[in-house]
Amino acid sequence: MGDTDRDPITFADLGVPTREPTSDTYFGKRRNYSDLDKKEIVFLTVSLLSILATIGLTIERLTKVDSQEADFTFGVLILINSAFVLYYTLDGVFRERAFELAVFVIAVAIIIIYCIANYIGTFEEDKTNVVKLTRLILIGALGPIDIGLGIVLTKEYYESRNLIFRTVGANTEMQDMCSLMFFFEAVLKFDMQLQISIVVLILSTSGISMTTVETIILIIGLIYCVIWVILGYFAMRLESKVLTWIFLVTSVLEPVYLVYKMISLSNKWSDSDNVLYLSIITIICAVGALIVRVVAVVTMVKVYKNFDKGLKEIAYGSKNKNVLLTSEEHEPTTYGSTDPVTDPYTN
């Protein structure tokens, strides 16, 4: 009699999660917080604390320096790159993007370089600045931890392809196409990060010597950069051949300007020390931007070859759309097998 009065055993009683591990959004699947493990939570905590602290100290510093000083330029650069790092942190973990976490690692290294260059470059004129020293110590202590955890998670995400499996199913060819698409997204964002940084550096190295025409070209170039990235994303997302060709044809405009600017800056080595080391950093950044632009174009060509193969409908279709699994591909997985494991949460 007493046995019949007991509540039925639930999945929760057996330790089986009952909540959906992912949610469907306009930009694809996103993991819920409950799906994160302890390592990922530690990574988020450390990264967010270090980024927000860096942003706070930088803003405080910017309020006390003249906009014509090199200190101001580095402050703006650190803010811009910190904003991108903040995005890579959240998007990389909650959308399990291995390539965005790889870019996160590179971006944190860039911030560390900026902080060191800023401190060394202005040391003689600003030896006792507490804010700059605190920021350098903070990023020097937490930056390597961010990079280490970022590398570990990048490796895990890349090898497991967990969210890719939940998105497109067990078809390995479709998984490869989805992985390439995610790589292209990460390259686009990194391209925009570098282009915006270059605009700030060019404004600082040219200053009041810029003509009206050069200023207009720079503003148009910044707008073009943003539009180009958006164009690339929707060309991939919509699998539009017309947008893809526009994207590829216009991809050469920014590199042409960067080459011209590098030649122009190389003729200013006799200027002041501030202009000198800002010019060197601008050229280094421009070279990096050119490399990233080539990678973006080559990857777009590869993504273009995958159009009309069903990836768009699976990755960005309605959440009720079934993933394409054939009976031959959807086989039971035995323990110790290296084949993708069937997700227990998908229907």
Side-chain angles (χ1 to χ4, degrees), residues 9-115:
I9 297 176
T10 64
F11 284 111
D13 295 329
L14 299 175
V16 178
T18 56
R19 293 182 180 180
E20 287 290 334
T22 62
S23 301
D24 290 281
T25 70
Y26 177 78
F27 298 100
K29 285 189 177 293
R30 178 186 63 81
R31 299 169 68 198
N32 296 323
Y33 182 80
S34 58
D35 190 51
L36 304 182
D37 61 26
K38 292 181 180 179
K39 186 188 304 176
E40 291 168 316
I41 294 173
V42 170
F43 170 73
L44 282 174
T45 303
V46 175
S47 298
L48 292 177
L49 285 176
S50 59
I51 295 166
L52 293 176
T54 300
I55 290 174
L57 289 170
T58 302
I59 291 175
E60 195 279 338
R61 176 62 182 165
L62 286 175
T63 60
K64 298 181 179 179
V65 296
D66 188 88
S67 60
Q68 299 299 319
E69 295 181 13
D71 237 10
F72 187 86
T73 302
F74 277 105
V76 173
L77 287 173
I78 291 170
L79 277 184
I80 292 170
N81 285 273
S82 295
F84 274 95
V85 167
L86 186 61
Y87 172 80
Y88 296 142
T89 302
L90 297 173
D91 199 57
V93 171
F94 283 102
R95 294 211 293 160
E96 204 170 293
R97 298 298 180 88
F99 300 115
E100 288 196 8
L101 285 185
V103 175
F104 162 88
V105 170
I106 298 172
V108 171
I110 290 174
I111 291 178
I112 293 175
I113 293 171
Y114 280 153
C115 288

